Amino acid sequence: MSRHLTPLPESRALTAVSADGSRVHVEVYGPEGAPAVVLAHGWTCSIAFWAEQIRSLAADHRVIAYDQRGHGRSPAPGPGGYSTTALADDLEAVLAATLGPGERAVLAGHSMGGMTIMAAAGRPGLRQHAAAALLCSTGPSRLTAEATVVPLKPGALRSRLTAAVLGAKAPLGPVNAVSKKVLKYATMGPGAAPDRVEACARIVHACPRGARHGWSQVLAGLDLEPGVRELRLPVAVLVGTADRLTPAVHSRAMAEALPHCTGLVELPGMGHMTPVEAPEAVTAQIRELTLTYLGVKETEEAEA
């Protein structure tokens, strides 16, 4: 069995209540009082997507991971519950429920999780609690225009087809050889190991169809460019060079626009699912941020 499919460490579950009353499922791993890391997953994923980061970081960090609304164990929202405002509200609710007054954490967001951090850039909760952030395989706007999932030249036709493919309401069906091949092409690098493709497929196929479609509509019209410029905290940016969903053009532009970008890391040959495809590299970026901005010393395990 893939290490990524084995159970996660013991955790403490809690519920954060968002501004519109939506309930957000949160899991907290690691020792109480340890430096905090908050993990926000992407579209069609769940807490399980961060399995490798949770296993590594929970040894010496308090790792806070939550299911975005409609994903994992967070219920689907009511009418009008899919928006970038809701993403920011949910993140603020999670921070308020898990961190003490003035306590700061390093935030890491993958794909829609990174967009969540951008959406919350001006929020008091983020300014109070965020010491630094990692934007991982994400982008602030023009997602369907820049995506290369549809093998056509850039233009209106490719954008329309991309929006249609990503916004399809049809069920994904069972995880099998064909569905794994499709998912690997769209979301992972060509060299992705079979067990990591399997792990991603099981997570993505578990996402409820309603949430998948609801969030696809938000992402298709996304514009968080102002949020990038408003993120006035140290931010690291990471992307795979073979990312078809949020190609490196987004990360390069964000690195230029961020008020305090600590660096841009491009991982050769990696696709969109970098926390699963290159877990050590993603964890290393988070550890570097906690070391620098929370004063966390590296443990012997982290150095091994």
Side-chain angles (χ1 to χ4, degrees):
M1 178 183 285
S2 165
R3 174 171 159 79
H4 204 95
L5 295 175
T6 58
L8 289 170
E10 184 177 348
S11 66
R12 302 174 295 284
L14 59 93
T15 299
V17 181
S18 196
D20 66 354
S22 294
R23 301 173 71 81
V24 180
H25 179 79
V26 185
E27 297 284 344
V28 182
Y29 306 84
E32 290 286 353
V37 172
V38 178
L39 304 176
H41 68 75
W43 178 54
T44 74
C45 295
S46 65
I47 290 171
F49 188 77
W50 294 106
E52 292 301 311
Q53 287 71 43
I54 291 169
R55 290 191 184 95
S56 177
L57 294 168
D60 52 359
H61 293 73
R62 184 157 50 95
V63 182
I64 299 159
Y66 69 100
D67 287 323
Q68 300 267 24
R69 57 173 60 195
H71 297 75
R73 282 169 282 183
S74 291
Y82 295 105
S83 68
T84 56
T85 297
L87 291 176
D89 287 342
D90 293 354
L91 177 56
E92 276 201 302
V94 170
L95 296 176
T98 57
L99 300 175
E103 183 181 5
R104 299 201 303 163
V106 165
L107 277 51
H110 170 261
S111 192
M112 194 174 79
M115 299 162 200
T116 300
I117 295 172
M118 296 179 228
R123 296 295 186 92
L126 186 128
R127 291 179 173 173
Q128 177 186 359
H129 291 297
L134 172 64
L135 298 180
C136 182
S137 307
T138 190
S141 64
R142 293 179 50 80
L143 299 184
T144 56
E146 298 291 357
T148 60
V149 174
V150 176
L152 295 175
K153 292 181 179 180
L157 176 60
R158 189 180 76 174
S159 297
R160 286 199 301 272
L161 290 175
T162 300
V165 170
L166 299 181
K169 294 183 178 180
L172 295 181
V175 174
N176 55 33
V178 173
S179 64
K180 285 188 286 188
K181 185 174 181 178
V182 170
L183 179 130
K184 180 181 177 181
Y185 166 80
T187 70
M188 305 182 80
D195 66 324
R196 298 190 180 187
V197 177
E198 173 86 10
C200 283
R202 292 198 177 278
I203 291 168
V204 170
H205 280 241
C207 179
R209 181 169 47 166
R212 174 165 54 86
H213 177 71
W215 284 118
S216 75
Q217 302 308 294
V218 174
L219 301 182
L222 194 75
D223 182 5
L224 293 172
E225 299 286 350
V228 177
R229 296 187 292 272
E230 201 170 352
L231 269 178
R232 303 188 182 280
L233 69 160
V235 181
V237 182
L238 181 145
V239 68
T241 61
D243 190 332
R244 297 180 190 273
L245 285 177
T246 53
V249 62
H250 291 296
S251 291
R252 293 167 190 156
M254 288 190 301
E256 289 290 328
L258 284 163
H260 185 181
C261 181
T262 65
L264 168 62
V265 175
E266 298 190 28
L267 301 177
M270 297 297 166
H272 184 66
M273 303 301 216
T274 44
V276 175
E277 294 181 73
E280 297 86 358
V282 173
T283 301
Q285 286 296 303
I286 298 172
R287 280 195 176 276
E288 183 174 335
L289 292 172
T290 62
L291 175 65
T292 304
Y293 299 104
L294 294 178
V296 178
K297 294 181 179 180
E298 294 181 279
T299 64
E300 291 183 1
E301 178 179 306
E303 294 170 351

